[in-house]
Amino acid sequence: MDQKSLVLVKPDGVRKHLIGEIIARFERRGLKICALKMLVMSKDQAKYHYAEHVDKPFFPELEAFITGGPLVAMVVEGPNAIKAIRTMMGVTDPIESTPGSIRGDFALDKGENVIHGSDSPEAAEREIKNFFTPEEIY
Ligand code: IDP
Ligand code: MG
């Protein structure tokens, strides 16, 4: 079953020159990039994207980080794309992520952890709308 996921190369990933590395991993795996753009997230966009975390103590730090520089947003599609991408990403805290995963290879910090990927089809649908119009998704 084909699924779409909203993936972000977060501002730390852009600063670390990891855009190509991350896209290449998805493409080599057989996943399709069907929408792509670079942008600076607004605070409103950040509150919508991280709605489940707005009341958490780390939210101010997260908001400052995620809005603090350009990021790359993309829609990635393929069979079981959501789970496939979450596995390729590693877990939230890179220290616990397996080497070979994106976070396990390229991050050490729980906040600045290089990549976002949707965690469910419902989240993907909601998150994709925050960045792309239907016409921008191929
Ligand atoms: P996920 O990105 O693996 O789905 P979530 O628990 O949904 O992880 O958290 C969203 C993002 O919020 C994380 O990727 C990370 O950037 C940030 N974050 C989560 N927990 C913490 C924390 O304890 N301190 C700082 N930032 C955090
Ligand atoms: Mg999450």
Side-chain angles (χ1 to χ4, degrees), residues 10 50 52-53 56 58-59 61-62 65-66 86 89-93 103 109-119:
K10 294 180 178 181
Y50 284 126
E52 63 175 318
H53 298 307
K56 306 262 172 74
F58 62 80
F59 186 75
E61 180 193 338
L62 174 59
F65 160 60
I66 207 73
R86 293 286 294 189
M89 285 166 49
V91 297
T92 306
D93 187 347
R103 287 168 171 168
D109 186 274
K110 191 175 181 185
E112 304 206 0
N113 57 9
V114 170
I115 185 165
H116 167 86
S118 306
D119 66 4

Side-chain angles (χ1 to χ4, degrees), residues 14-133:
V14 173
R15 279 193 294 270
K16 289 153 95 172
H17 309 291
L18 293 172
I19 301 167
E21 169 74 34
I22 289 169
I23 291 175
R25 286 185 182 214
F26 293 142
E27 291 200 316
R28 290 198 306 246
R29 188 82 192 273
L31 295 162
K32 182 186 156 201
I33 310 300
C34 46
L36 183 71
K37 64 175 71 166
M38 179 177 273
L39 69 142
V40 177
M41 229 202 254
S42 70
K43 288 190 174 180
D44 283 348
Q45 252 176 329
K47 287 189 178 79
Y48 178 90
H49 181 75
Y50 284 126
E52 63 175 318
H53 298 307
V54 281
D55 297 323
K56 306 262 172 74
F58 62 80
F59 186 75
E61 180 193 338
L62 174 59
E63 185 186 55
F65 160 60
I66 207 73
T67 63
L71 55 73
V72 171
M74 58 189 125
V75 179
V76 184
E77 185 180 56
N80 292 301
I82 288 170
K83 179 133 193 251
I85 291 165
R86 293 286 294 189
T87 305
M88 290 171 81
M89 285 166 49
V91 297
T92 306
D93 187 347
I95 298 298
E96 307 296 335
S97 291
T98 317
S101 69
I102 293 167
R103 287 168 171 168
D105 284 349
F106 301 119
L108 288 167
D109 186 274
K110 191 175 181 185
E112 304 206 0
N113 57 9
V114 170
I115 185 165
H116 167 86
S118 306
D119 66 4
S120 69
E122 298 71 34
E125 193 183 334
R126 211 178 59 78
E127 292 170 3
I128 287 169
K129 281 193 294 201
N130 197 23
F131 296 97
F132 297 99
T133 64

